[in-house]
Amino acid sequence: MTRRPIRLLLPALLVLSGVMLLAACQRGDADKALLEAPAVGDLYAAQLSEFSDYEFTDDAEKPIDPAYGLMRVVSADAAGVVVITENAASAEKSVSQSDIKGDLSTIEFDESEQIQIAKADLIKAHADGLIYVVKRPAAN
């Protein structure tokens, strides 16, 4: 009798896995579309240490490498974008993934380092997983 629930569970898990994979692919396509037509205000959850010359450190002043966090587009044109990084970084990728979905009013950005990224490099960074979430905040 215990075999029946297991036989039913396996197809259900396969269907659920397929749905999750489809959702991830659609999210990736949406992110790529935003990167192909960037706009001022766009936010990227990214591996900051790949873009910034700044050495991010933790509270104990130990270097964080790789460092994950948010970048905000401050200028965009046909050639690419200029971004600034947030003031803080984390060794955990999941922190920036959560931050980009949450209350952005608490995030502070460093205006002093402006990083130019060509449009082709944006697309490649996304394909390489260096930019892993893209968000275009809604206009007020």
Side-chain angles (χ1 to χ4, degrees):
M1 289 289 169
T2 60
R3 287 186 176 182
R4 176 173 254 174
I6 291 174
R7 274 193 294 212
L8 295 175
L9 182 61
L10 184 58
L13 288 174
L14 289 173
V15 168
L16 181 61
S17 296
V19 168
M20 291 176 63
L21 182 60
L22 179 61
C25 288
Q26 288 176 336
R27 178 72 245 163
D29 289 344
D31 286 352
K32 187 176 177 188
L34 290 174
L35 290 169
E36 288 174 348
V40 171
D42 284 358
L43 294 166
Y44 307 147
Q47 185 174 325
L48 300 180
S49 49
E50 286 295 317
F51 298 95
S52 176
D53 290 332
Y54 182 76
E55 183 177 1
F56 294 94
T57 57
D58 62 15
D59 293 337
E61 298 299 319
K62 282 183 56 182
I64 301 172
D65 191 30
Y68 300 99
L70 301 182
M71 298 189 300
R72 184 176 70 207
V73 176
V74 294
S75 174
D77 59 27
V81 297
V82 174
V83 299
I84 56 176
T85 63
E86 73 172 295
N87 286 341
S90 174
E92 300 296 323
K93 188 177 188 178
S94 61
V95 172
S96 57
Q97 290 170 318
S98 176
D99 284 349
I100 201 167
K101 296 174 187 173
D103 179 14
L104 297 169
S105 66
T106 62
I107 306 292
E108 294 182 17
F109 289 88
D110 179 8
E111 303 272 344
S112 67
E113 181 187 32
Q114 299 198 352
I115 304 163
Q116 293 184 340
I117 307 172
K119 192 179 290 187
D121 292 336
L122 276 176
I123 305 302
K124 183 172 180 351
H126 182 259
D128 292 346
L130 300 175
I131 296 174
Y132 42 89
V133 180
V134 179
K135 181 178 181 179
R136 179 162 295 159
N140 292 334

